[in-house]
Amino acid sequence: MIFPDLQGSVFAAKETAMTSRYALIHDENRCNGCNLCASICHKLHRIPKNSARLAIARIPVKTNNDIISHHFFRHSCQHCENAPCIEVCPTGASYQDNDGIVRIDTAKCIGCSYCISACPYQVRYLNSETNVADKCDFCAQSRLAKGLIPICVKVCPENALLFGREDSPEISDWMKKNKFYQYQLNGAGKPHLYRLARMQPLM
């Protein structure tokens, strides 16, 4: 299921304080590794060559029959709590907004790259054209501000991505019904990118 590009049950008016944050779910059972999400993101945000806001990693796995398959893993910002990239920023350019999205104020960024070094997930990069740090922000300015879902969710041909507020009926119901996991590394807080592990090997 992909949520419609309309403000409704998933989207709510922006709160003055964080009461409900956005979350992204990656269903690894549905993902086929096509990378359409990454290529469209690259085009929409005019990302320089050899940089990316997200990527789908192809991780080889072996089945019980010694058949080589792949686990498709989304590599992008986790929008984690107590994000280390925010702590090290000397200008306050890296911050977390009222929706729980870890963002970058381009007007304040001086291109020092401290946040890039501090991120344990290595999902930030320094834009070679603007000399400003960049990463996935759930399309906060380009789409969320207009009531639209992130472009990666919109274009996924397998409906492998779900997006919304964590307390919305759609997201909370999914989280109750599925045994998801979070990829959390040392030095970072709880991620708000949830993953449904692939249960059956691709044949």
Side-chain angles (χ1 to χ4, degrees):
M1 173 182 178
I2 293 182
F3 300 138
D5 271 8
L6 295 172
Q7 292 190 3
S9 61
V10 176
F11 293 94
K14 187 173 181 179
E15 304 288 343
T16 55
M18 192 191 307
T19 57
S20 172
R21 60 187 298 157
Y22 283 118
L24 182 71
I25 295 167
H26 182 213
D27 187 338
E28 295 171 358
N29 286 292
R30 290 177 176 269
C31 182
N32 64 6
C34 70
N35 263 308
L36 180 61
C37 56
S39 62
I40 294 296
C41 171
H42 194 281
K43 181 177 180 180
L44 175 66
H45 299 290
R46 298 184 176 91
I47 298 172
K49 188 177 180 180
N50 299 323
S51 298
R53 282 188 167 196
L54 74 94
I56 301 298
R58 298 170 62 91
I59 303 174
V61 294
K62 186 179 290 187
T63 68
N64 293 334
N65 297 321
D66 288 336
I67 299 174
I68 300 298
S69 181
H70 289 90
H71 166 209
F72 299 111
F73 182 87
R74 180 185 171 104
H75 184 242
S76 68
C77 180
Q78 307 283 301
H79 297 282
C80 53
E81 298 174 7
N82 303 314
C85 56
I86 295 176
E87 296 177 5
V88 301
C89 180
T91 66
S94 289
Y95 69 103
Q96 190 171 64
D97 70 14
N98 293 336
D99 295 315
I101 302 173
V102 176
R103 299 177 61 179
I104 299 167
D105 185 336
T106 57
K108 292 182 178 180
C109 181
I110 58 175
C112 67
S113 296
Y114 289 171
C115 63
I116 296 172
S117 298
C119 176
Y121 300 100
Q122 299 181 356
V123 293
R124 288 183 170 231
Y125 71 94
L126 191 66
N127 189 305
S128 58
E129 298 175 359
T130 63
N131 200 42
V132 168
D134 191 31
K135 64 169 197 67
C136 166
D137 62 358
F138 290 154
C139 298
Q141 289 183 311
S142 60
R143 293 181 61 83
L144 280 188
K146 302 174 184 177
L148 306 176
I149 56 177
I151 193 64
C152 57
V153 182
K154 174 66 176 176
V155 303
C156 179
E158 301 298 326
N159 294 345
L161 296 170
L162 301 179
F163 178 81
R165 294 192 181 276
E166 290 191 353
D167 64 352
S168 68
E170 293 84 351
I171 297 295
S172 58
D173 185 60
W174 186 94
M175 294 177 74
K176 290 177 183 176
K177 293 180 178 179
N178 292 280
K179 190 175 181 180
F180 60 85
Y181 76 99
Q182 293 155 287
Y183 181 60
Q184 184 172 357
L185 296 177
N186 292 333
K190 175 187 175 183
H192 288 268
L193 198 167
Y194 300 92
R195 307 166 188 273
L196 184 62
R198 204 186 76 213
M199 303 304 294
Q200 297 294 330
L202 298 175
M203 302 300 288

